Amino acid sequence: MPEFRTEEMVLNMGPQHPSTHGVMRFVVHTDGEVMRVAKPDVGYLHRSIEKIAEKLKYPQFMPFTDRIDYLAAMNCNMGYAMTVEKLAGIEVPPRAEYIRVIASELNRIASHLISVGVMGLELGAVTPFLHAIRERETINDLMEELCGARLTYNYIRIGGVAQDLPAGFAEKTIEFLDHFVPAVDEYNRLLSYNKIFVKRMADVAVISAENAVDYGLVGPNLRASGVKWDLRRDEPYSVYPQFEFDIPVGTGEKGQVGDCYDRYMLRIREMVESSRIIKQCLAAVPDGPVQTKLPASLKVPEGEAYVRTESVRGELGYYVISDGSDKPYRLRIRTGSFSAMSIVELTSRGLMIADLVALIGSLDVVAPEIDR
Amino acid sequence: MRYFADWIIENLEFTRAIPSEYVYLIIMVVGGLLLLLFVVPMAGALTFVERRVAGKMQSRIGPNRVGPQGIFQFVADGVKLILKEDIIPTAADRRLFKLAPYIVFVGSFLTFAALPFSQKLIAADLNIGILYIFAVSSMVVVGIIMSGWASNNNLSLLGGMRSAAQIISYEVPQILSVLAVILLTGTLGMQGTIKAQGWAPQHWFLFHNPFAFIAFFVFFISAVAECNRIPFDIPEAESELVSGYNTEYSGFRFGLFFLAEFANVYVISAVAVTLFLGGWNTPFYLPTGIWGLLPSAVNLAGLITFLIKTFVLVFVCMWLRWTLPRLRVDQLMTVGWKYMVPIAFFNLVGTAVWMLVWGDKSIAALLGG
C-alpha cells in the first residue's frame, strides 16, 4: 500500500465573502468538509470611533454612535445619551423617555428582522429574507417620519430627543404592529418550521450556559443558552419598569438549549415582546417637552460614568471619563458582537463548513460593532 | 430527423447524385444547429422567467426594463457576459480551466439529441435513448470537477468535490427509479416510452401503479439534485463557497455554466414528462405517409402539450428554489443513500411484482375491468 500524505486545508473566509456581514475574516482549518477550527480575525472595520470621541464636543459625538451598530443606531444613541446625562446630572423630560423607548424598540424589531432574514439567506432560502425586509421597510418609513433618516438616526440627544412625535405617528405605528404580529406567524410557517431549516439549525453549534457566561456573551445569544438576563428587567433604566413584557429564553425546543435554532427563535419571540412594549408605551406617552434646555457649550463635571443598556445585540456599555472640559477625556464602548466573535473559535471545532455560516448568522454579529 | 432524411433521399431527385451518408451528415449538422438555436434562447429565456418568478414570490417586480416587461433582459445579460474580459487566474491550470465549461455545456446539450418534442420532432430516436441521456449528462460532473480542480482555489475545489459526491449518490436512485418505467415498457427508446402511455392522465405511468407514482418523486428529487439546484445546491452554496466550482470564472465561460444549468433544468423536466407524464400524447392521431412529416396540426398539438407539461415542471423547480433552504452536505448524503436508494430499490421490486401479478395492466385498466 502506498502511503498517502494528507494535510489540512486552510480556507480563507473573508474579508470579502458573501456570508461575513460586512468585513470579517475567518481562517478555517478544515479536514475535507469538517472544520478543525475556525479562527476569527477582527479589525477590518476599525474606524477609531473611540479616539474620535476625544476630539469632539459631547453633543457632536452623537452621529458617530449611529455608526457603532448601524442596524441598531437608536439603541446606540440612547446608551451614549444616558451616559452623558448620568455624568452631567441632566434630567430627561418624561415624554422624551417614552419616545426613546418607542424608537429603540422599533429599532430592535427592525434589527431582529434583518437577523432572522439573513439567517434564511445563509442557509440558501432567499425568499424569507425579502419578506423580512418588506416588514422592516415600514419601520424605516416610520423612522423617516420621526427623524428624517432611515438608518443612521441621530435622533436621541443628550437631554431628550431631537423632535417631538410627528402627527399621526402613534396611529401608523399601531397599524403596523397589528399587521406585524400576525406576519410573524406567517414568517414562521415559511421558514422557522421548515423541516430542512430545523435540521440545519437544531443541535448545531451548541453553546452551554457556562460557556456563554465565561465568554461574556450578552443579549439574545446569552439568553438563548438559557440564562435569563436582560438589563431592561434586571437593571431597569428609562421607563421600562412600567411595562409588562416577558424575557424569552432558549428552551431547546427542537434540539438542545443554546443551539442555533434557539438563538434564531429567541429573536423571533423578542420581536413580539417588543411589539407589546411599544403598544403599552404609545398608550402611556405623557404630554410635555421633549428636550431639556442645555447650555450652548455643554461642560461635564470631572468624573467617570459607566452605563450599560440592553441594545439589540445585548449589553452595550459606554464608559466616559471627563476632565471637566466640553470633550470626553476618554470614551470606551463595550459591544456584544465582539464577545460573540470570541466564542466562534471554541464552538467551531468539529462543525462542518456549512455550520460555520449558520453559527455566524445565529450569533447575529455585525461587523462595525466588533471593531468600532 | 431520421424520418426527414429518409424522406429526402427517397423523394428528392437531386440527392440521388450524392452518397446517402453525406445527406445524413448534412441533415444531422443542420438538426444540431436547429437544436442549438432552440437550447440557447430557451435557457436564456428561462433565466429571465426565473427572475420574474422569484420576484413574484418575493413581493417585488424583477427585471422589467429591457424591452416590454423586460423580456430582452437575458439578451442584454448574454451580450454583457460575452463582452466581459475572460479572466484566467495565474495559478490556474490553463488548459483544463478553459476546457471545463465546454464539457459542462456539451454534456447538457448532447442530451437534447435524444429528447422528443413531438410525435415526429426528435433529433435522433435512439433505441437506447434513456441510457444515452443519462450517459451523456454524467459528463457534466467531469466538467464540474475539472473546473473546481483547475481553478486552484480551495473554495472551487470543495465545490467540485461536493458536486462529484452529490451526482454520484443521486444518479443511483435516479436510474433505479427509471428502471421501474423500463420494466413497464420494455423499451429504452424515448418515443417508445411515450407511445406506451395515453393522453389521459390515467394512462400516464405516473398513475400506472403505486410504485410508479413513488418512482416519479424519487426520480424528480434526484434529478433536481443532479442539477445542483436548491435545496441541493451545495456545490455552489453561495453563502459558504462564494460560488463553488465556478467562483473563478467570468465572461463567456461563466455564461456557459449558467446556460448549462438552465438547459439541465429543461432536460430533467422533459425526461420526467417523457417517462411519467405521457409526453406529447394528445387525443388526436397523426395522418400517415408524407403528411405526417410536415408540420401538421397534430404534430403541433403534440409539441405544445409536451412543452406545457415540461415548463410546468420547470416552474416547480423554480418554486422549490425560491422556497426552500439548502441541505448540509452530510444531510444530503443521508437523504440520498438512506432514503432515496432503498425506496428506489423497493419500487423496482414492487413494479416487478406488480407485473408478475397483473402484467402491464395499470390501476385504471384493473378498475375499469
Side-chain angles (χ1 to χ4, degrees):
Chain A
M1 273 287 283
E3 264 197 34
F4 290 107
R5 194 171 57 90
T6 59
E7 57 185 70
E8 66 178 21
M9 185 160 85
V10 180
L11 199 63
N12 182 33
M13 263 177 109
Q16 275 139 15
H17 186 278
S19 65
T20 50
H21 302 210
V23 278
M24 291 184 255
R25 177 164 171 251
F26 297 91
V27 181
V28 187
H29 296 257
T30 69
D31 177 11
E33 286 284 343
V34 181
M35 289 192 294
R36 295 252 167 83
V37 68
K39 289 182 182 148
D41 179 12
V42 301
Y44 285 92
L45 213 55
H46 186 78
R47 290 146 301 159
S48 314
I49 285 187
E50 290 172 6
K51 188 71 187 167
I52 289 170
E54 295 170 18
K55 302 287 169 198
L56 291 174
K57 293 177 179 173
Y58 285 99
Q60 283 178 329
F61 182 62
M62 192 53 87
F64 287 87
T65 61
D66 289 336
R67 275 82 180 167
I68 293 168
D69 178 358
Y70 55 77
L71 290 177
M74 210 56 101
N75 293 273
C76 296
N77 285 175
M78 188 165 172
Y80 175 67
M82 282 170 61
T83 317
V84 179
E85 283 153 11
K86 184 179 174 193
L87 200 54
I90 299 166
E91 277 288 314
V92 182
R95 184 174 173 85
E97 288 281 20
Y98 279 86
I99 296 175
R100 281 180 177 188
V101 170
I102 294 169
S104 324
E105 292 302 319
L106 271 178
N107 202 185
R108 190 184 306 275
I109 295 178
S111 176
H112 279 347
L113 275 173
I114 291 274
S115 165
V116 296
V118 164
M119 198 65 244
L121 202 61
E122 307 274 39
L123 303 188
V126 186
T127 304
F129 173 68
L130 279 122
H131 283 246
I133 286 280
R134 184 183 62 186
E135 306 303 331
R136 178 173 177 265
E137 200 59 21
T138 321
I139 300 182
N140 280 353
D141 289 344
L142 286 172
M143 291 295 197
E144 196 177 357
E145 273 189 45
L146 187 65
C147 58
R150 294 166 67 84
L151 196 66
T152 48
Y153 307 115
N154 185 23
Y155 175 66
I156 296 175
R157 302 284 168 82
I158 299 165
V161 294
Q163 297 109 30
D164 203 350
L165 292 179
F169 183 83
E171 291 75 36
K172 279 179 196 159
T173 312
I174 298 268
E175 192 187 322
F176 163 71
L177 293 176
D178 287 342
H179 157 79
F180 174 71
V181 178
V184 170
D185 291 334
E186 204 177 283
Y187 188 83
N188 280 340
R189 283 202 302 277
L190 178 63
L191 185 66
S192 311
Y193 303 136
N194 182 303
K195 200 145 182 159
I196 299 176
F197 185 76
V198 172
K199 277 210 134 192
R200 285 294 307 274
M201 300 285 283
D203 287 327
V204 169
V206 180
I207 298 175
S208 67
E210 199 185 0
N211 275 339
V213 173
D214 286 353
Y215 276 75
L217 286 195
V218 288
N221 298 332
L222 177 69
R223 290 193 285 276
S225 296
V227 183
K228 201 165 185 173
W229 175 256
D230 189 322
L231 290 173
R232 290 175 296 174
R233 184 202 60 162
D234 296 312
E235 220 174 69
Y237 56 91
S238 195
V239 287
Y240 279 111
Q242 303 179 20
F243 306 127
E244 199 179 302
F245 59 97
D246 295 325
I247 312 290
V249 285
T251 51
E253 54 188 299
K254 302 278 181 191
Q256 300 170 47
V257 177
D259 58 6
C260 286
Y261 192 79
D262 267 357
R263 285 192 283 278
Y264 165 85
M265 268 324 262
L266 191 104
R267 293 198 168 84
I268 297 246
R269 300 222 171 83
E270 276 198 359
M271 291 197 290
V272 180
E273 293 304 322
S274 288
S275 309
R276 277 176 71 191
I277 298 177
I278 299 170
K279 272 196 176 168
Q280 296 171 43
C281 202
L282 280 168
V285 183
D287 285 329
V290 293
Q291 175 74 44
T292 318
K293 198 96 180 96
L294 293 178
S297 177
L298 178 67
K299 284 212 167 48
V300 174
E302 218 176 303
E304 50 185 72
Y306 179 74
V307 170
R308 50 183 187 173
T309 57
E310 187 71 25
S311 173
V312 178
R313 275 157 203 82
E315 197 174 309
L316 176 74
Y318 285 90
Y319 181 52
V320 178
I321 302 178
S322 168
D323 56 0
S325 70
D326 55 357
K327 292 171 187 161
Y329 175 74
R330 173 80 169 95
L331 186 135
R332 165 90 186 126
I333 308 158
R334 187 253 191 255
T335 56
S337 294
F338 184 76
S339 51
M341 280 296 270
S342 67
I343 206 167
V344 168
E345 189 173 335
L346 174 83
T347 318
S348 67
R349 288 175 205 276
L351 293 181
M352 309 202 69
I353 294 175
D355 292 335
L356 176 64
V357 179
L359 171 64
I360 303 165
S362 72
L363 285 173
D364 190 22
V365 175
V366 168
E369 213 202 4
I370 305 170
D371 302 329
R372 302 176 298 282
Chain B
M1 272 306 159
R2 179 70 186 257
Y3 303 99
F4 194 59
D6 285 343
W7 181 78
I8 286 181
I9 292 167
E10 274 170 32
N11 295 289
L12 294 183
E13 289 296 326
F14 67 88
T15 57
R16 299 273 160 80
I18 22 177
S20 56
E21 290 83 23
Y22 289 111
V23 178
Y24 278 126
L25 187 68
I26 293 168
I27 297 282
M28 285 301 160
V29 170
V30 170
L33 285 178
L34 282 177
L35 271 184
L36 199 62
L37 272 182
F38 169 74
V39 173
V40 173
M42 188 273 304
L46 280 186
T47 65
F48 164 72
V49 172
E50 167 132 50
R51 290 171 68 182
R52 286 300 289 249
V53 167
K56 255 281 177 273
M57 287 181 183
Q58 300 171 347
S59 65
R60 58 188 176 86
I61 299 169
N64 69 342
R65 292 289 130 183
V66 193
Q69 288 297 307
I71 52 169
F72 296 122
Q73 183 67 44
F74 71 91
V75 182
D77 287 346
V79 170
K80 185 203 78 172
L81 280 178
I82 291 170
L83 292 179
K84 269 185 122 175
E85 189 188 351
D86 179 29
I87 300 167
I88 300 174
T90 37
D93 186 333
R94 290 182 73 87
R95 254 189 292 172
L96 287 186
F97 188 85
K98 284 181 172 172
L99 185 62
Y102 298 111
I103 292 188
V104 171
F105 183 70
V106 165
S108 72
F109 177 63
L110 278 182
T111 52
F112 279 85
L115 275 191
F117 290 92
S118 74
Q119 285 88 332
K120 296 292 176 193
L121 268 179
I122 178 167
D125 184 14
L126 303 174
N127 54 359
I128 49 155
I130 297 170
L131 194 62
Y132 167 81
I133 284 181
F134 290 118
V136 294
S137 66
S138 305
M139 255 174 71
V140 172
V141 69
V142 178
I144 289 179
I145 298 178
M146 204 184 265
S147 64
W149 178 259
S151 300
N152 201 0
N153 172 332
N154 285 348
L155 298 169
S156 302
L157 181 61
L158 271 178
M161 298 314 280
R162 283 180 174 192
S163 183
Q166 175 176 343
I167 291 185
I168 289 167
S169 338
Y170 277 82
E171 212 144 69
V172 178
Q174 190 183 13
I175 289 174
L176 283 176
S177 57
V178 170
L179 276 181
V181 173
I182 295 172
L183 270 185
L184 291 173
T185 56
T187 172
L188 280 166
M190 298 294 269
Q191 297 288 52
T193 313
I194 295 180
K195 279 175 194 148
Q197 304 173 63
W199 64 271
Q202 71 265 27
H203 298 133
W204 295 351
F205 282 146
L206 174 63
F207 301 116
H208 185 278
N209 63 51
F211 302 108
F213 187 73
I214 302 169
F216 169 73
F217 290 98
V218 173
F219 172 81
F220 196 65
I221 294 171
S222 322
V224 171
E226 285 235 352
C227 278
N228 297 335
R229 285 175 70 88
I230 284 178
F232 306 105
D233 76 329
I234 57 156
E236 289 175 29
E238 198 210 348
S239 53
E240 299 151 33
L241 301 182
V242 188
S243 189
Y245 58 88
N246 60 27
T247 305
E248 297 287 355
Y249 282 87
S250 62
F252 188 60
R253 286 175 216 282
F254 173 76
L256 283 181
F257 279 119
F258 213 65
L259 270 186
E261 183 190 329
F262 280 88
N264 265 341
V265 175
Y266 178 86
V267 169
I268 61 154
S269 307
V271 172
V273 168
T274 305
L275 295 179
F276 294 99
L277 301 178
W280 38 252
N281 276 311
T282 51
F284 318 109
Y285 292 98
L286 263 188
T288 47
I290 163 80
W291 296 108
L293 304 174
L294 297 177
S296 63
V298 177
N299 215 339
L300 194 66
L303 176 67
I304 292 172
T305 315
F306 191 84
L307 287 184
I308 287 178
K309 284 177 185 172
T310 307
F311 284 119
V312 166
L313 282 190
V314 169
F315 173 73
V316 171
C317 283
M318 294 178 178
W319 188 6
L320 288 177
R321 171 163 180 185
W322 297 105
T323 326
L324 295 177
R326 173 189 310 128
L327 284 164
R328 204 169 59 206
V329 64
D330 58 324
Q331 292 166 348
L332 186 95
M333 293 297 151
T334 312
V335 172
W337 290 106
K338 289 197 182 158
Y339 297 99
M340 304 293 266
V341 173
I343 292 173
F345 264 118
F346 169 74
N347 267 328
L348 189 59
V349 176
T351 313
V353 171
W354 179 279
M355 292 197 66
L356 210 62
V357 180
W358 285 298
D360 56 0
K361 283 201 179 87
S362 67
I363 289 184
L366 287 174
L367 291 180

